[in-house]
Amino acid sequence: MYDLTAADVGLLTVLTDLVSASTWDEARDVVDQNPVLLTDRALVLLDLVGSRIATPDNGDDIVRPLRRFLTRSREIGTVAAWEEHSGRRLPSWLTPYADRIESTEDVTAEVQAYEEILAHAEFVGLTPQLRAQILGRAASALLRRSEAGPQHDDIDRALQLLDEAGPLVPDDSEVGGEVLSHLLFGHVRRYERDGAERDLAMAMDVLRQEDRRDGHEVSDHIHYMATMGFALLDRYERHGLPASLNSAVRILQQAVDASTGDDPELPGRLDQLGGARLRLYELEGSADQLRRSVACLARAVEMTATSAPERPGRLSNLGNALLTRYERDGTPADLDAAIASGCDQETAPHRHLGSTAV
Protein backbone atom coordinates (compact mmCIF):
# COMPACT_ATOMS: atom_id res chain seq x y z
CA MET A 1 0.00 0.00 0.00
CA TYR A 2 1.16 3.54 -0.80
CA ASP A 3 -0.02 6.64 1.05
CA LEU A 4 0.01 9.12 -1.80
CA THR A 5 0.20 12.88 -1.33
CA ALA A 6 -0.84 15.59 -3.76
CA ALA A 7 2.81 16.04 -4.77
CA ASP A 8 3.03 12.33 -5.57
CA VAL A 9 0.48 12.66 -8.38
CA GLY A 10 2.81 14.83 -10.46
CA LEU A 11 5.77 12.61 -9.61
CA LEU A 12 3.87 9.53 -10.76
CA THR A 13 3.18 11.23 -14.09
CA VAL A 14 6.88 11.95 -14.58
CA LEU A 15 7.80 8.40 -13.57
CA THR A 16 5.34 7.07 -16.13
CA ASP A 17 7.14 9.15 -18.78
CA LEU A 18 10.43 7.63 -17.64
CA VAL A 19 9.12 4.07 -17.74
CA SER A 20 7.64 4.75 -21.20
CA ALA A 21 10.99 5.92 -22.61
CA SER A 22 11.99 3.63 -25.47
CA THR A 23 15.72 4.49 -25.41
CA TRP A 24 18.32 5.56 -22.88
CA ASP A 25 18.54 8.90 -24.67
CA GLU A 26 14.85 9.49 -23.93
CA ALA A 27 15.31 8.32 -20.33
CA ARG A 28 18.18 10.75 -19.87
CA ASP A 29 16.10 13.61 -21.27
CA VAL A 30 13.26 12.83 -18.84
CA VAL A 31 15.66 12.84 -15.88
CA ASP A 32 17.41 16.01 -17.09
CA GLN A 33 14.08 17.81 -17.29
CA ASN A 34 12.77 16.47 -13.97
CA PRO A 35 15.39 16.54 -11.14
CA VAL A 36 12.68 15.32 -8.76
CA LEU A 37 13.38 11.84 -10.17
CA LEU A 38 16.63 11.82 -8.21
CA THR A 39 14.85 11.89 -4.85
CA ASP A 40 14.24 9.00 -2.46
CA ARG A 41 10.50 9.32 -3.00
CA ALA A 42 10.91 8.77 -6.74
CA LEU A 43 12.62 5.44 -6.12
CA VAL A 44 9.77 4.37 -3.83
CA LEU A 45 7.07 5.30 -6.33
CA LEU A 46 8.95 3.75 -9.25
CA ASP A 47 7.94 0.33 -7.94
CA LEU A 48 4.30 1.42 -7.96
CA VAL A 49 4.47 2.57 -11.57
CA GLY A 50 6.26 -0.63 -12.54
CA SER A 51 3.63 -2.80 -10.88
CA ARG A 52 0.89 -1.09 -12.89
CA ILE A 53 2.45 -1.79 -16.27
CA ALA A 54 4.28 -5.05 -15.56
CA THR A 55 3.13 -8.23 -17.27
CA PRO A 56 3.84 -11.86 -16.32
CA ASP A 57 6.46 -11.88 -19.08
CA ASN A 58 8.48 -8.82 -18.15
CA GLY A 59 8.24 -8.93 -14.35
CA ASP A 60 10.85 -6.57 -12.89
CA ASP A 61 12.64 -6.16 -16.23
CA ILE A 62 11.20 -2.68 -16.70
CA VAL A 63 11.85 -1.28 -13.23
CA ARG A 64 15.22 -2.80 -12.34
CA PRO A 65 17.38 -1.05 -14.98
CA LEU A 66 15.61 2.27 -14.39
CA ARG A 67 16.15 2.00 -10.65
CA ARG A 68 19.83 1.34 -11.31
CA PHE A 69 19.98 4.30 -13.73
CA LEU A 70 18.41 6.68 -11.19
CA THR A 71 20.67 5.40 -8.43
CA ARG A 72 23.81 5.81 -10.55
CA SER A 73 22.63 9.26 -11.67
CA ARG A 74 22.54 10.28 -8.03
CA GLU A 75 26.02 8.87 -7.47
CA ILE A 76 27.93 10.00 -10.58
CA GLY A 77 25.59 12.33 -12.48
CA THR A 78 23.11 11.72 -15.26
CA VAL A 79 25.65 12.02 -18.09
CA ALA A 80 27.96 9.34 -16.68
CA ALA A 81 25.03 7.08 -15.78
CA TRP A 82 23.65 7.49 -19.29
CA GLU A 83 27.04 6.55 -20.76
CA GLU A 84 27.13 3.43 -18.62
CA HIS A 85 23.66 2.32 -19.60
CA SER A 86 23.75 3.29 -23.27
CA GLY A 87 27.21 1.87 -23.84
CA ARG A 88 28.49 5.20 -25.19
CA ARG A 89 31.56 7.16 -24.19
CA LEU A 90 32.25 10.83 -24.80
CA PRO A 91 35.62 12.01 -26.07
CA SER A 92 37.75 13.19 -23.15
CA TRP A 93 37.69 16.85 -24.21
CA LEU A 94 33.88 16.84 -24.09
CA THR A 95 33.61 15.50 -20.56
CA PRO A 96 34.21 18.82 -18.73
CA TYR A 97 31.53 20.50 -20.85
CA ALA A 98 29.11 17.66 -20.21
CA ASP A 99 29.76 17.98 -16.49
CA ARG A 100 29.08 21.73 -16.65
CA ILE A 101 25.82 21.18 -18.49
CA GLU A 102 24.82 18.44 -16.09
CA SER A 103 25.58 20.45 -12.97
CA THR A 104 23.82 23.72 -13.86
CA GLU A 105 20.18 24.72 -13.68
CA ASP A 106 20.94 28.04 -15.39
CA VAL A 107 19.92 27.79 -19.03
CA THR A 108 22.25 30.65 -19.98
CA ALA A 109 25.21 28.72 -18.52
CA GLU A 110 24.02 25.68 -20.46
CA VAL A 111 23.86 27.68 -23.69
CA GLN A 112 27.36 29.05 -23.05
CA ALA A 113 28.75 25.55 -22.56
CA TYR A 114 27.19 24.36 -25.80
CA GLU A 115 28.51 27.38 -27.71
CA GLU A 116 32.00 26.61 -26.43
CA ILE A 117 31.64 23.03 -27.61
CA LEU A 118 30.54 24.18 -31.06
CA ALA A 119 33.54 26.54 -31.28
CA HIS A 120 36.03 23.90 -30.14
CA ALA A 121 38.59 22.84 -32.73
CA GLU A 122 37.79 19.16 -32.12
CA PHE A 123 34.06 19.52 -32.74
CA VAL A 124 34.29 19.02 -36.50
CA GLY A 125 36.08 15.72 -35.91
CA LEU A 126 33.15 14.16 -34.05
CA THR A 127 30.93 11.62 -35.73
CA PRO A 128 28.03 13.12 -37.72
CA GLN A 129 25.53 11.59 -35.31
CA LEU A 130 27.20 13.08 -32.24
CA ARG A 131 27.59 16.47 -33.93
CA ALA A 132 23.90 16.44 -34.85
CA GLN A 133 22.94 15.46 -31.31
CA ILE A 134 25.00 18.29 -29.80
CA LEU A 135 23.64 20.80 -32.33
CA GLY A 136 20.09 19.68 -31.52
CA ARG A 137 20.56 19.95 -27.77
CA ALA A 138 22.25 23.32 -28.09
CA ALA A 139 19.24 24.48 -30.13
CA SER A 140 16.89 23.07 -27.50
CA ALA A 141 18.68 25.07 -24.78
CA LEU A 142 18.44 28.23 -26.89
CA LEU A 143 14.72 27.70 -27.45
CA ARG A 144 14.13 27.13 -23.76
CA ARG A 145 15.99 30.35 -22.97
CA SER A 146 13.89 32.20 -25.57
CA GLU A 147 10.79 31.39 -23.51
CA ALA A 148 12.27 32.98 -20.41
CA GLY A 149 12.82 36.40 -21.92
CA PRO A 150 13.06 38.56 -25.05
CA GLN A 151 16.30 37.07 -26.42
CA HIS A 152 14.83 36.91 -29.93
CA ASP A 153 18.19 36.10 -31.47
CA ASP A 154 18.06 32.80 -29.56
CA ILE A 155 15.31 31.53 -31.86
CA ASP A 156 17.18 32.46 -35.02
CA ARG A 157 20.40 30.95 -33.70
CA ALA A 158 18.56 27.75 -32.72
CA LEU A 159 17.11 27.35 -36.20
CA GLN A 160 20.54 27.96 -37.71
CA LEU A 161 22.00 25.12 -35.62
CA LEU A 162 19.12 22.81 -36.53
CA ASP A 163 19.63 23.55 -40.23
CA GLU A 164 23.24 22.43 -39.74
CA ALA A 165 22.18 19.29 -37.86
CA GLY A 166 19.54 18.09 -40.32
CA PRO A 167 21.84 16.91 -43.15
CA LEU A 168 24.08 15.01 -40.71
CA VAL A 169 21.58 12.27 -39.87
CA PRO A 170 18.62 10.53 -41.57
CA ASP A 171 15.16 11.75 -40.56
CA ASP A 172 14.21 8.20 -39.56
CA SER A 173 17.07 7.88 -37.06
CA GLU A 174 16.65 8.58 -33.35
CA VAL A 175 18.77 11.73 -33.50
CA GLY A 176 17.02 12.77 -36.72
CA GLY A 177 13.72 12.57 -34.88
CA GLU A 178 15.07 14.79 -32.10
CA VAL A 179 16.25 17.36 -34.66
CA LEU A 180 12.83 17.40 -36.36
CA SER A 181 11.11 17.87 -33.00
CA HIS A 182 13.31 20.84 -32.12
CA LEU A 183 12.91 22.25 -35.64
CA LEU A 184 9.13 22.18 -35.33
CA PHE A 185 9.28 23.96 -31.98
CA GLY A 186 11.70 26.55 -33.37
CA HIS A 187 9.47 27.49 -36.28
CA VAL A 188 6.45 27.61 -33.97
CA ARG A 189 8.33 29.96 -31.64
CA ARG A 190 9.38 32.24 -34.48
CA TYR A 191 5.85 32.23 -35.90
CA GLU A 192 4.57 33.30 -32.50
CA ARG A 193 7.18 36.05 -32.42
CA ASP A 194 6.91 37.42 -35.97
CA GLY A 195 3.68 36.02 -37.43
CA ALA A 196 5.53 35.18 -40.67
CA GLU A 197 3.61 32.75 -42.87
CA ARG A 198 6.92 31.25 -43.99
CA ASP A 199 7.53 29.85 -40.51
CA LEU A 200 4.01 28.43 -40.37
CA ALA A 201 4.57 26.72 -43.73
CA MET A 202 7.93 25.34 -42.61
CA ALA A 203 6.46 24.05 -39.34
CA MET A 204 3.76 22.21 -41.28
CA ASP A 205 6.44 20.80 -43.58
CA VAL A 206 8.21 19.42 -40.50
CA LEU A 207 4.93 17.81 -39.44
CA ARG A 208 4.78 16.12 -42.85
CA GLN A 209 8.34 14.84 -42.41
CA GLU A 210 7.45 13.45 -38.99
CA ASP A 211 4.41 11.71 -40.45
CA ARG A 212 6.50 10.26 -43.26
CA ARG A 213 8.92 9.08 -40.61
CA ASP A 214 6.05 7.32 -38.84
CA GLY A 215 4.69 5.92 -42.10
CA HIS A 216 1.34 7.76 -42.24
CA GLU A 217 1.68 10.98 -44.20
CA VAL A 218 -1.54 12.89 -44.95
CA SER A 219 -1.60 14.79 -48.25
CA ASP A 220 -3.98 17.46 -46.97
CA HIS A 221 -2.67 20.97 -46.29
CA ILE A 222 -5.70 21.78 -44.13
CA HIS A 223 -4.95 18.79 -41.92
CA TYR A 224 -1.50 20.13 -41.07
CA MET A 225 -2.83 23.65 -40.57
CA ALA A 226 -5.40 22.34 -38.10
CA THR A 227 -2.76 20.20 -36.39
CA MET A 228 -0.61 23.28 -35.91
CA GLY A 229 -3.58 25.15 -34.45
CA PHE A 230 -4.34 22.32 -32.04
CA ALA A 231 -0.68 22.18 -30.98
CA LEU A 232 -0.57 25.92 -30.31
CA LEU A 233 -3.80 25.75 -28.32
CA ASP A 234 -2.38 22.91 -26.24
CA ARG A 235 0.79 24.96 -25.77
CA TYR A 236 -1.31 27.83 -24.41
CA GLU A 237 -3.17 25.50 -22.06
CA ARG A 238 0.14 24.17 -20.69
CA HIS A 239 2.19 27.36 -20.53
CA GLY A 240 -0.33 30.23 -20.58
CA LEU A 241 1.46 32.12 -23.37
CA PRO A 242 -0.89 34.67 -25.00
CA ALA A 243 1.09 34.54 -28.26
CA SER A 244 0.33 30.80 -28.50
CA LEU A 245 -3.40 31.43 -28.07
CA ASN A 246 -3.56 34.24 -30.62
CA SER A 247 -1.63 32.12 -33.12
CA ALA A 248 -3.91 29.14 -32.47
CA VAL A 249 -7.03 31.21 -33.15
CA ARG A 250 -5.55 32.66 -36.33
CA ILE A 251 -4.47 29.27 -37.73
CA LEU A 252 -7.64 27.40 -36.71
CA GLN A 253 -9.72 30.10 -38.37
CA GLN A 254 -7.71 29.62 -41.56
CA ALA A 255 -8.27 25.86 -41.37
CA VAL A 256 -12.03 26.33 -40.89
CA ASP A 257 -12.23 28.85 -43.73
CA ALA A 258 -10.38 26.47 -46.06
CA SER A 259 -12.55 23.44 -45.17
CA THR A 260 -15.42 22.40 -47.39
CA GLY A 261 -18.89 22.00 -45.91
CA ASP A 262 -18.79 18.21 -46.30
CA ASP A 263 -15.35 17.79 -44.71
CA PRO A 264 -15.82 15.24 -41.88
CA GLU A 265 -13.12 17.03 -39.86
CA LEU A 266 -14.88 20.41 -39.98
CA PRO A 267 -17.04 19.91 -36.83
CA GLY A 268 -13.95 19.09 -34.79
CA ARG A 269 -12.11 22.12 -36.15
CA LEU A 270 -15.09 24.33 -35.32
CA ASP A 271 -15.20 22.90 -31.81
CA GLN A 272 -11.51 23.63 -31.31
CA LEU A 273 -11.83 27.12 -32.80
CA GLY A 274 -14.81 27.88 -30.58
CA GLY A 275 -12.90 26.71 -27.52
CA ALA A 276 -9.89 28.80 -28.50
CA ARG A 277 -12.03 31.91 -28.97
CA LEU A 278 -13.62 31.30 -25.56
CA ARG A 279 -10.13 31.20 -24.02
CA LEU A 280 -9.31 34.42 -25.87
CA TYR A 281 -12.46 36.03 -24.44
CA GLU A 282 -11.40 34.94 -20.95
CA LEU A 283 -8.00 36.47 -21.57
CA GLU A 284 -9.05 39.75 -23.22
CA GLY A 285 -12.72 40.22 -22.32
CA SER A 286 -13.78 40.83 -25.94
CA ALA A 287 -17.53 40.42 -26.44
CA ASP A 288 -16.90 39.72 -30.12
CA GLN A 289 -14.67 36.76 -29.27
CA LEU A 290 -17.40 35.37 -27.03
CA ARG A 291 -20.04 35.81 -29.75
CA ARG A 292 -17.86 34.08 -32.31
CA SER A 293 -17.06 31.29 -29.84
CA VAL A 294 -20.75 30.53 -29.35
CA ALA A 295 -21.36 30.63 -33.11
CA CYS A 296 -18.50 28.18 -33.78
CA LEU A 297 -19.55 25.78 -31.05
CA ALA A 298 -23.21 25.89 -32.11
CA ARG A 299 -22.27 25.11 -35.70
CA ALA A 300 -20.04 22.25 -34.51
CA VAL A 301 -22.97 20.72 -32.62
CA GLU A 302 -25.33 21.18 -35.56
CA MET A 303 -22.89 19.34 -37.84
CA THR A 304 -22.40 16.46 -35.40
CA ALA A 305 -24.71 13.46 -35.72
CA THR A 306 -26.87 12.74 -32.69
CA SER A 307 -25.31 9.27 -32.42
CA ALA A 308 -21.70 10.49 -32.71
CA PRO A 309 -19.53 9.87 -29.63
CA GLU A 310 -18.18 13.43 -29.91
CA ARG A 311 -21.61 15.04 -29.54
CA PRO A 312 -21.85 15.05 -25.71
CA GLY A 313 -18.49 16.79 -25.39
CA ARG A 314 -19.37 19.37 -28.03
CA LEU A 315 -22.73 20.03 -26.36
CA SER A 316 -20.89 20.51 -23.07
CA ASN A 317 -18.49 23.00 -24.69
CA LEU A 318 -21.40 24.92 -26.18
CA GLY A 319 -23.18 24.94 -22.84
CA ASN A 320 -20.11 26.39 -21.13
CA ALA A 321 -19.86 29.19 -23.71
CA LEU A 322 -23.58 29.99 -23.42
CA LEU A 323 -23.33 30.07 -19.64
CA THR A 324 -20.36 32.42 -19.91
CA ARG A 325 -22.37 34.73 -22.17
CA TYR A 326 -25.33 34.59 -19.79
CA GLU A 327 -23.06 35.59 -16.92
CA ARG A 328 -21.85 38.51 -19.00
CA ASP A 329 -25.09 39.75 -20.57
CA GLY A 330 -27.85 38.21 -18.44
CA THR A 331 -29.86 37.01 -21.45
CA PRO A 332 -32.33 34.34 -20.21
CA ALA A 333 -32.29 32.52 -23.56
CA ASP A 334 -28.59 31.81 -23.12
CA LEU A 335 -29.21 30.28 -19.69
CA ASP A 336 -32.07 28.15 -21.08
CA ALA A 337 -29.91 26.91 -23.95
CA ALA A 338 -26.98 26.18 -21.62
CA ILE A 339 -29.24 24.06 -19.42
CA ALA A 340 -30.69 22.32 -22.48
CA SER A 341 -27.18 21.53 -23.75
CA GLY A 342 -26.39 19.79 -20.48
CA CYS A 343 -29.70 17.99 -19.98
CA ASP A 344 -30.83 17.09 -23.47
CA GLN A 345 -27.80 15.99 -25.45
CA GLU A 346 -29.95 14.89 -28.37
CA THR A 347 -32.10 17.95 -29.04
CA ALA A 348 -30.39 21.02 -27.58
CA PRO A 349 -31.98 24.14 -29.24
CA HIS A 350 -29.79 26.73 -30.98
CA ARG A 351 -32.30 28.76 -33.04
CA HIS A 352 -31.99 31.81 -30.80
CA LEU A 353 -28.26 32.11 -31.40
CA GLY A 354 -28.63 34.34 -34.43
CA SER A 355 -25.84 34.58 -36.97
CA THR A 356 -23.62 31.53 -37.24
CA ALA A 357 -20.84 33.42 -38.98
CA VAL A 358 -17.51 32.53 -37.44
Side-chain angles (χ1 to χ4, degrees):
M1 292 292 293
Y2 295 85
D3 295 324
L4 298 179
T5 67
D8 288 336
V9 176
L11 182 53
L12 284 170
T13 300
V14 175
L15 281 165
T16 300
D17 291 340
L18 177 64
V19 171
S20 301
S22 58
T23 67
W24 285 112
D25 282 356
E26 292 180 12
R28 175 190 170 180
D29 287 343
V30 173
V31 175
D32 281 344
Q33 295 165 16
N34 300 278
V36 69
L37 290 172
L38 302 180
T39 62
D40 291 337
R41 187 60 175 170
L43 292 176
V44 172
L45 294 181
L46 178 60
D47 293 329
L48 174 59
V49 174
S51 68
R52 289 180 174 178
I53 65 174
T55 68
D57 295 329
N58 62 34
D60 292 333
D61 291 346
I62 296 175
V63 170
R64 188 181 297 114
L66 290 174
R67 173 180 284 279
R68 189 182 310 119
F69 176 59
L70 292 179
T71 300
R72 289 297 285 157
S73 293
R74 293 171 61 167
E75 294 170 349
I76 62 175
T78 307
V79 172
W82 168 75
E83 291 174 2
E84 288 183 356
H85 286 77
S86 66
R88 304 177 188 182
R89 292 293 182 269
L90 293 175
S92 58
W93 68 268
L94 264 179
T95 302
Y97 295 107
D99 290 342
R100 281 171 55 189
I101 293 168
E102 170 67 23
S103 63
T104 186
E105 296 183 1
D106 180 359
V107 68
T108 295
E110 184 179 345
V111 167
Q112 181 61 36
Y114 276 120
E115 291 288 8
E116 291 177 23
I117 293 172
L118 298 178
H120 197 285
E122 300 290 336
F123 177 73
V124 295
L126 299 175
T127 65
Q129 177 170 313
L130 185 52
R131 278 159 49 209
Q133 187 171 57
I134 292 172
L135 286 163
R137 291 187 174 175
S140 175
L142 285 161
L143 291 171
R144 281 186 279 113
R145 187 170 71 169
S146 76
E147 296 203 287
Q151 298 95 339
H152 290 169
D153 288 343
D154 282 351
I155 302 174
D156 299 325
R157 173 63 172 158
L159 288 171
Q160 176 193 350
L161 297 181
L162 293 167
D163 286 341
E164 294 177 21
L168 297 175
V169 286
D171 288 347
D172 59 358
S173 67
E174 181 178 321
V175 175
E178 291 181 10
V179 170
L180 283 176
S181 178
H182 298 320
L183 192 60
L184 174 62
F185 184 40
H187 283 298
V188 167
R189 288 287 292 118
R190 195 160 67 180
Y191 178 75
E192 290 177 334
R193 188 190 77 188
D194 301 336
E197 292 298 317
R198 178 175 178 272
D199 282 306
L200 175 59
M202 295 189 75
M204 289 192 290
D205 185 60
V206 174
L207 285 174
R208 289 188 182 90
Q209 293 180 62
E210 290 187 331
D211 274 357
R212 280 198 299 269
R213 186 173 183 269
D214 296 336
H216 54 77
E217 181 180 8
V218 179
S219 59
D220 180 0
H221 178 77
I222 304 172
H223 164 80
Y224 290 106
M225 187 181 297
T227 300
M228 280 296 304
F230 298 161
L232 284 161
L233 182 57
D234 177 68
R235 184 165 148 75
Y236 171 74
E237 297 289 358
R238 287 185 289 111
H239 300 296
L241 302 172
S244 297
L245 180 57
N246 281 286
S247 296
V249 169
R250 183 164 59 250
I251 296 172
L252 288 170
Q253 184 66 65
Q254 291 177 21
V256 166
D257 292 343
S259 302
T260 59
D262 59 353
D263 187 334
E265 301 298 325
L266 179 56
R269 292 167 190 162
L270 284 164
D271 186 64
Q272 289 285 347
L273 176 58
R277 288 198 179 281
L278 184 59
R279 297 291 183 278
L280 198 55
Y281 163 74
E282 293 168 348
L283 185 67
E284 299 178 349
S286 167
D288 182 62
Q289 290 296 344
L290 181 56
R291 176 190 64 79
R292 298 179 75 177
S293 169
V294 170
C296 285
L297 295 169
R299 188 176 168 202
V301 168
E302 290 164 357
M303 296 184 68
T304 303
T306 56
S307 59
E310 299 85 2
R311 186 176 176 85
R314 290 172 186 170
L315 277 165
S316 176
N317 293 339
L318 174 60
N320 288 337
L322 287 165
L323 185 58
T324 298
R325 193 166 69 175
Y326 169 74
E327 292 171 346
R328 175 189 174 96
D329 300 335
T331 304
D334 281 337
L335 178 59
D336 293 342
I339 294 172
S341 293
C343 297
D344 188 353
Q345 297 180 349
E346 298 299 320
T347 58
H350 313 303
R351 286 192 300 273
H352 72 286
L353 297 175
S355 172
T356 58
V358 297

